Amino acid sequence: MRRTEAVVIGAGQAGLAMSRCLTQSGIDHVVLERGRVAERWRSERWDSLRLLTPNWQSRLPGFRYQGPDPDGYMRMPEVAGFLERYARSFAAPVEDGATVLAVEGGGAGYRVTTDRGAWETRSVVIATGHCDTPVVPAIARQLPDDVVQVVPTRYRNPQELPEGGVLVVGASATGVQLADEIHASGRPVTLAVSRHTRLPRVYRGRDILWWLDAMGVFDEKADEVFDIAASRQQPSLQLVGRPDRATLDLPALEGRGVRLLGRAVGAEGDRVFFADDLVAHTVAADTRLARLLQRIDIFAARTGLDAELGAPEPFQPFLWPAAAPTEIDLRAEGIRSVVWATGFRRVYPWLQVPVLDARGEIRHEGGVTPSPGLYVIGLYFQRRRKSSFIDGVGDDAIELTAHLATYLRRAA
Ligand SMILES: Cc1cc2nc3c(=O)[nH]c(=O)nc-3n(C[C@H](O)[C@H](O)[C@H](O)COP(=O)(O)OP(=O)(O)OC[C@H]3O[C@@H](n4cnc5c(N)ncnc54)[C@H](O)[C@@H]3O)c2cc1C
């Protein structure tokens, strides 16, 4: 049995940022990682994926992107390389290939069991990721057996799908990107759309994320927003990071021939049913986007950027021409595969400390759980809107390390 002051579970950006801050504070710790550093960026992403955050936005405590292309978007091997270099920069004490099988105990200390031995520790930081396990709606079970079903963590490229049409369910970042590349491969794509966040890639000559960063949107704190539960349910940004900085929204997809339908709500045999809510969702997304662009324009005027940038760009609402069908027949239409781009959930089968709520989520206040010495980091909007992003987890890590250090001092 090995002993340490803190065990961090997971060596993605969240676990590494935490490790960097613990190292800075002189707190003895280990980072347990079932795979390798940045494992999910290596093995759970598709081939063509690039970050949707620009390179300059890859900022972690004591480390940042310093390459020649600050406005570009990293491919996955580059992300893994970036995080590997980060780990090396402070000699992060990562134990690779150690899967955590159980976390037991409480305030008096924890026992962390892995497939490579056990640790005794006074504190534990769970950094196993917000995007842990793909959500697959119950209707998946009603689909015929010969329809191939794929989740984004397993999808690699269109060539792995059978020939024929593809139904992509979900129109956030993942759904629109996969719909676009599958369609480009020559397979007719139907995209089931529900709540989404429409954004242009570039507005008035600046990356949309530059604007959100400059306006402090990502810094918004969880305890300051009107309804944090609602904010935590917000869909991911409908964006893609491509060298041409193209916008990938529903009008763009429709223009290329992707068929848009409402939310997928049921299935029976070969038939799949959709809500009659496409217009409602696109109008809602447009309303939010128009409001955001207006905020940007006000910000630009107030900060004197107007002169530099030229006039505000007119907003182009998505004009939906015809009612979308609410039912399709997969066989009749030659649709042979379904991609579930329906978000992620988190599962903690190894967590034997009673901190999970009825939905299986960890109960916490800004990452501090009700079990003294047990923390979580990297959840969506955990302390700030940016908490689950490469650029955002660092501030949370600094604050959680301060909390953890105080806890260790008091408990000593
Ligand atoms: C498709 C996609 C694209 C994204 N694009 C961006 C982007 O452009 N920019 C951005 O800032 N964010 C992006 N994100 C969001 C976020 O940055 C990623 O989800 C990122 O992986 C989160 O990092 P993390 O360290 O919190 O968790 P993860 O990267 O999920 O790391 C968790 C680690 O824990 C390990 N682990 C899990 N269970 C165990 C166990 N039992 N024992 C030991 N180890 C375990 C895993 O192997 C993994 O390495 C994207 C997310 C997705 C899904």
Side-chain angles (χ1 to χ4, degrees):
M1 176 83 74
R2 287 171 284 177
R3 287 197 174 77
T4 184
E5 294 288 278
V7 167
V8 179
I9 308 175
Q13 73 232 13
L16 293 177
M18 199 66 206
S19 176
R20 169 65 161 67
C21 296
L22 291 171
T23 302
Q24 282 280 99
S25 304
I27 297 172
D28 184 64
H29 68 284
V30 64
V31 182
L32 301 176
E33 167 56 54
R34 65 181 175 180
R36 290 170 294 166
V37 163
E39 185 57 41
R40 290 204 210 267
W41 295 108
R42 299 173 195 273
S43 57
E44 297 191 14
R45 311 281 193 250
W46 58 96
D47 297 345
S48 67
L49 181 65
R50 289 173 182 265
L51 289 186
L52 52 78
T53 43
N55 291 335
W56 57 262
Q57 233 180 357
S58 290
R59 299 179 286 210
L60 287 159
F63 201 73
R64 57 170 56 215
Y65 175 87
Q66 285 181 321
D69 186 16
D71 295 324
Y73 310 94
M74 281 184 220
R75 288 185 179 279
M76 292 305 101
E78 295 171 288
V79 182
F82 175 79
L83 291 177
E84 258 178 15
R85 286 195 301 284
Y86 184 43
R88 273 202 303 274
S89 71
F90 62 95
V94 178
E95 191 165 309
D96 277 356
T99 301
V100 170
L101 304 173
V103 174
E104 301 156 277
Y110 296 89
R111 181 191 164 97
V112 180
T113 308
T114 80
D115 56 356
R116 288 178 52 190
W119 291 81
E120 231 172 48
T121 180
R122 293 206 290 151
S123 60
V124 174
V125 183
I126 298 170
T128 49
H130 185 81
C131 298
D132 178 13
T133 302
V135 169
V136 177
I139 56 174
R141 289 197 294 276
Q142 262 99 55
L143 294 179
D145 289 343
D146 59 352
V147 170
V148 172
Q149 300 190 41
V150 188
V151 291
T153 50
R154 292 290 176 87
Y155 171 89
R156 289 293 167 270
N157 54 60
Q159 287 68 40
E160 290 185 353
L161 298 175
E163 289 298 328
V166 181
L167 170 63
V168 177
V169 182
S172 288
T174 297
V176 295
Q177 290 185 33
L178 299 190
D180 192 38
E181 82 163 18
I182 295 168
H183 179 78
S185 77
R187 292 162 175 79
V189 171
T190 299
L191 179 63
V193 175
S194 64
R195 283 175 62 231
H196 58 277
T197 305
R198 181 183 172 198
L199 285 180
R201 180 73 262 184
V202 176
Y203 184 65
R204 298 181 73 181
R206 301 268 166 108
D207 195 294
I208 192 72
L209 298 186
W210 182 89
W211 287 108
L212 298 184
D213 183 64
M215 296 194 310
V217 171
F218 290 124
D219 292 317
E220 282 165 9
K221 291 200 167 161
D223 53 6
E224 288 169 6
V225 296
F226 171 64
D227 181 351
I228 183 59
S231 296
R232 286 185 174 142
Q233 297 300 318
Q234 275 173 7
S236 70
L237 311 175
Q238 215 177 48
L239 281 177
V240 62
R242 287 187 185 150
D244 65 0
R245 303 172 93 196
T247 292
L248 185 61
D249 56 9
L250 298 183
L253 285 172
E254 197 211 21
R256 279 170 219 170
V258 171
R259 176 173 61 170
L260 306 179
L261 302 182
R263 190 167 46 96
V265 290
E268 197 182 302
D270 291 317
R271 294 184 305 157
V272 181
F273 307 103
F274 301 85
D276 184 16
D277 58 2
L278 178 60
V279 173
H281 286 307
T282 54
V283 168
D286 278 2
T287 306
R288 284 195 300 273
L289 176 55
R291 220 183 296 138
L292 174 68
L293 299 184
Q294 202 176 27
R295 255 180 91 186
I296 290 177
D297 292 337
I298 292 168
F299 174 81
R302 200 165 39 78
T303 53
L305 280 166
D306 256 351
E308 201 183 311
L309 297 171
E313 293 166 21
F315 172 61
Q316 304 282 350
F318 181 23
L319 301 173
W320 180 246
T326 53
E327 180 182 331
I328 60 174
D329 186 307
L330 298 178
R331 194 170 303 275
E333 298 207 13
I335 294 178
R336 303 202 33 226
S337 42
V338 175
V339 179
W340 298 107
T342 30
F344 290 88
R345 63 197 173 92
R346 288 137 298 284
V347 286
Y348 307 99
W350 38 265
L351 185 56
Q352 287 156 31
V353 183
V355 291
L356 299 183
D357 66 16
R359 292 168 308 137
E361 299 283 359
I362 295 176
R363 286 183 287 129
H364 70 94
E365 284 287 337
V368 181
T369 79
S371 184
L374 181 66
Y375 300 86
V376 60
I377 187 165
L379 299 181
Y380 183 66
F381 222 140
Q382 180 169 307
R383 293 176 89 92
R384 299 171 174 78
R385 192 178 290 280
K386 63 184 181 180
S387 288
S388 59
F389 295 134
I390 297 170
D391 192 37
V393 74
D395 285 351
D396 287 16
I398 291 167
E399 291 171 8
L400 283 180
T401 299
H403 194 287
L404 191 152
T406 306
Y407 169 74
L408 290 180
R409 260 198 316 277
R410 290 208 179 122

